[in-house]
Amino acid sequence: MRKNIAIFASGSGSNAEKIILHFNAKNTAQVVCVFSNKSEAYALNRAKKHNIPTQFFPFKEWRTPTNIIQKLKDFNVDYIVLAGFLLKVPQALIHLYPNRIINIHPALLPKYGGKGMYGENVHKAVIEAKEKESGITIHFIDEDYDKGTTIFQAKCKVLPTDTPESLAEKIHKLEHQYYPKTIEEVIISE
Ligand code: GRF
């Protein structure tokens, strides 16, 4: 049976779009909705372009996620995929979807994870620490942020000439290359 994926995204949504396109051509799963905590998130425009239903939920709805849970049920969601989602996932959702919430982090966890480590902050910290490599970590979400079981990692070199922007670009390439197919592997391995 084709599984249903909900994507949560707060930003540009380039990963969300890659995931939508990947599963458009597959019968393993499909993206059925994209939810955001930001009404102006470009991720919502990208989803609409591909005829995927979108929904904005303001901050207070994420704190008491009754309506969000109802919507996930309405869409028969099997998996939640976080693609640049900047809020903490409510506990109630973690309990409803054990090992079925997947996140991508733009560094090699357990390094450079946790509070405040998102977006450009991560790449700045990696460069300041003069790391020789960085990468991506795809992992399950559990109660402890950025500490769920790792599913997949890929690395890239950090050169002395790299800036947070150039490193972000390398990381995005890795994300686009690996996130959709890693999600698919998780789904078909069930
Ligand atoms: C990605 O780098 C992801 O690792 C991080 O947020 C960024 C989202 O990028 N969690 P985009 O919105 O998918 O372009």
Side-chain angles (χ1 to χ4, degrees):
M1 255 274 272
R2 212 173 182 198
K3 299 290 182 190
N4 290 334
I5 300 171
I7 296 180
F8 293 178
S10 308
S12 140
S14 71
N15 280 285
E17 189 165 23
K18 292 281 176 199
I19 296 162
I20 290 168
L21 290 174
H22 176 91
F23 286 104
N24 265 350
K26 305 273 177 179
N27 54 18
T28 46
Q30 61 189 336
V31 177
V32 293
C33 55
V34 176
F35 293 173
S36 185
N37 62 317
K38 298 265 184 208
S39 58
E40 74 286 7
Y42 194 65
L44 298 177
N45 299 29
R46 294 193 203 246
K48 284 179 197 146
K49 192 172 80 187
H50 298 290
N51 298 316
I52 307 289
T54 61
Q55 185 109 28
F56 155 65
F57 292 100
F59 183 69
K60 66 173 190 322
E61 299 255 23
W62 295 94
R63 291 190 74 168
T64 314
T66 325
N67 294 335
I68 296 172
I69 289 171
Q70 188 53 51
K71 275 284 168 195
L72 292 170
K73 286 191 178 143
D74 293 347
F75 281 108
N76 283 315
V77 167
D78 301 295
Y79 287 86
I80 297 172
V81 167
L82 310 182
F85 183 65
L86 294 179
L87 284 187
K88 228 172 161 170
V89 177
Q91 288 292 326
L93 291 194
I94 295 171
H95 290 141
L96 272 178
Y97 290 90
N99 279 338
R100 283 173 171 239
I101 307 180
I102 303 170
N103 184 38
I104 191 159
H105 186 77
L108 296 170
L109 292 175
K111 281 178 145 184
Y112 306 103
K115 218 173 158 54
M117 279 294 159
Y118 61 87
E120 201 164 270
N121 295 352
V122 177
H123 308 308
K124 273 188 187 146
V126 167
I127 287 173
E128 269 163 29
K130 299 195 178 2
E131 294 284 358
K132 298 260 184 306
E133 57 182 21
S134 189
I136 60 167
T137 304
I138 298 170
H139 64 98
F140 290 113
I141 285 284
D142 64 19
E143 276 128 75
D144 220 347
Y145 224 61
D146 287 341
K147 287 199 181 137
T149 314
T150 295
I151 304 164
F152 176 86
Q153 288 189 310
K155 292 177 181 173
C156 63
K157 285 203 164 71
V158 182
L159 304 174
T161 48
D162 267 321
T163 60
E165 293 74 28
S166 68
L167 182 54
E169 208 172 299
K170 289 186 203 176
I171 298 281
H172 256 113
K173 278 200 185 124
L174 285 180
E175 294 184 330
H176 296 162
Q177 186 181 354
Y178 291 110
Y179 202 17
K181 58 182 174 195
T182 304
I183 295 163
E184 188 171 23
E185 276 159 24
V186 169
I187 291 174
I188 60 183
S189 72
E190 272 232 339

